[in-house]
Amino acid sequence: MRYAIAVDSSSDITSPDQLSLHGDDIQLGVAPLTIVAGGREFPDVETTDVREMVDFLESLHEKSSTACPSTGEWLAAFHDAAEVFGIAITSKLSGSYDAGIIAKETYERENPGRRVHIVDSLSTGPQMWLMAEKLRDLMREGLSFDRIREEIESYREKTQLIFSLESLKNLANNGRVNPAVAKLSSILGIRVVGRATEGTLDPFAKARGEKKALSAIVKEMHEKGFVGGKVNISHVLNEAAALKLKAMIEERWENAQVRMYPTRVLTSFYAERGGLLIGYEI
Ligand code: X90
């Protein structure tokens, strides 16, 4: 087989159906991250019940942590493809990218002639999903390895991520955000709205209530130059807010193509109940 798309599970991609990979000569591989909490492990795979996990996490009074995929898990995600493209969660917050790079070196050494490129998404969740779809489209065109590498690196610059979080507790407990920023979200009803900038969290608004948070998201999209195009909204058990946001975006930009879906394990852990992640094209 010629191509494989390998993603880590922070992309919320768990199955080839999500990328509509039917009858394509493209394999999908997912390298799972894992949550370790209260003596249990929650691997980020399709069979893990996210709602049960979120309930369990909220009942715990101790810190829980996460682990990135191993090099072996990345290698498994490459399948046996001649040309592999991987997308990893931002290397500023996780070891996933580094594990992917070691897997690339191993794979290329053990399989002379095969090539792997791992993209540091500098982001996560729905922005990674957009990038995976872009890879699919480039592969369907049958482009060369070098062309796809160039195109996907430039597409990363044309996509953005916004988050709206009701709690930053797990991010702060695991040292992924400045505790002062996490404190902003400790007041009930306050959402911290921000963007991914250079691979880290960049909060830009403290919104009181859902309506203000959704308005801040739409305003940010406009200011960043969104003029219509793809938007992916993922939500942590918060379909109602995702639906409202989808309607607001579709009302303002009639050529927006908005998709919404629930977050999986890793993003549910860090974005926490109520959280929204928005990936969009500019
Ligand atoms: O390696 C590991 O254990 C995983 C660590 C992941 C840490 C960050 C996850 C963030 C998930 C939260 C809001 C969006 C942040 C965007 C920053 C670039 C989602």
Side-chain angles (χ1 to χ4, degrees), residues 22-265:
H22 306 294
D24 290 293
D25 189 23
I26 304 168
Q27 288 264 25
L28 173 73
V30 184
L33 289 101
T34 306
I35 313 300
V36 184
R40 290 177 62 185
E41 282 201 5
F42 299 89
D44 198 349
V45 294
E46 214 167 9
T47 47
T48 301
D49 181 341
V50 168
R51 185 177 292 273
E52 193 267 330
M53 179 190 81
V54 171
D55 289 342
F56 176 75
L57 290 169
E58 288 172 350
S59 72
L60 283 182
H61 296 289
E62 57 193 88
K63 285 186 189 175
S64 30
S65 61
T66 59
C68 70
S70 64
T71 296
E73 285 166 322
W74 272 108
L75 276 170
F78 296 170
H79 294 284
D80 267 320
E83 299 175 24
V84 178
F85 286 86
I87 308 172
I89 184 171
T90 169
S91 65
K92 300 272 177 66
L93 300 178
S94 171
S96 182
Y97 175 74
D98 291 339
I101 290 293
I102 297 171
K104 163 196 156 70
E105 287 163 357
T106 310
Y107 192 79
E108 289 180 338
R109 192 175 54 245
E110 291 178 356
N111 303 282
R114 294 189 185 174
R115 298 181 74 186
V116 180
H117 178 64
I118 309 284
V119 183
D120 180 353
S121 70
L122 298 175
S123 182
T124 189
Q127 189 178 352
M128 284 174 69
W129 181 313
L130 289 175
M131 293 170 72
E133 269 185 347
K134 182 69 174 181
L135 282 176
R136 177 203 62 199
D137 295 344
L138 297 167
M139 290 172 179
R140 280 181 178 163
E141 287 182 52
L143 299 183
S144 70
F145 183 87
D146 292 329
R147 262 300 293 290
I148 296 179
R149 187 173 54 193
E150 264 167 46
E151 295 278 337
I152 196 64
E153 290 291 341
S154 76
Y155 186 71
R156 181 187 55 187
E157 309 302 320
K158 293 185 207 117
T159 50
Q160 298 282 325
L161 183 81
I162 305 175
F163 54 83
S164 168
L165 306 179
E166 295 183 20
S167 166
L168 278 72
K169 189 180 96 216
N170 288 334
L171 281 162
N173 281 347
N174 286 283
R176 260 71 182 197
V177 79
N178 181 324
V181 173
K183 252 194 148 165
L184 300 176
S185 72
S186 60
I187 310 159
L188 203 68
I190 294 288
R191 279 137 176 100
V192 175
V193 185
R195 58 177 90 83
T197 302
E198 289 169 13
T200 58
L201 281 87
D202 175 17
F204 60 77
K206 233 173 35 170
R208 193 174 291 276
E210 179 186 278
K211 217 171 147 195
K212 292 208 173 83
L214 299 183
S215 300
I217 292 167
V218 171
K219 181 163 170 270
E220 164 74 3
M221 289 174 69
H222 168 68
E223 285 173 2
K224 275 273 186 254
F226 182 72
V227 287
K230 285 189 190 172
V231 183
N232 276 3
I233 304 170
S234 66
H235 62 88
V236 190
L237 305 170
N238 195 3
E239 190 175 23
L243 274 167
K244 277 186 210 153
L245 179 61
K246 181 172 186 285
M248 284 165 76
I249 294 169
E250 285 169 345
E251 192 185 56
R252 177 144 180 188
W253 293 283
E254 56 183 38
N255 56 343
Q257 302 145 45
V258 188
R259 178 198 286 124
M260 48 176 276
Y261 49 87
T263 47
R264 293 300 310 161
V265 170

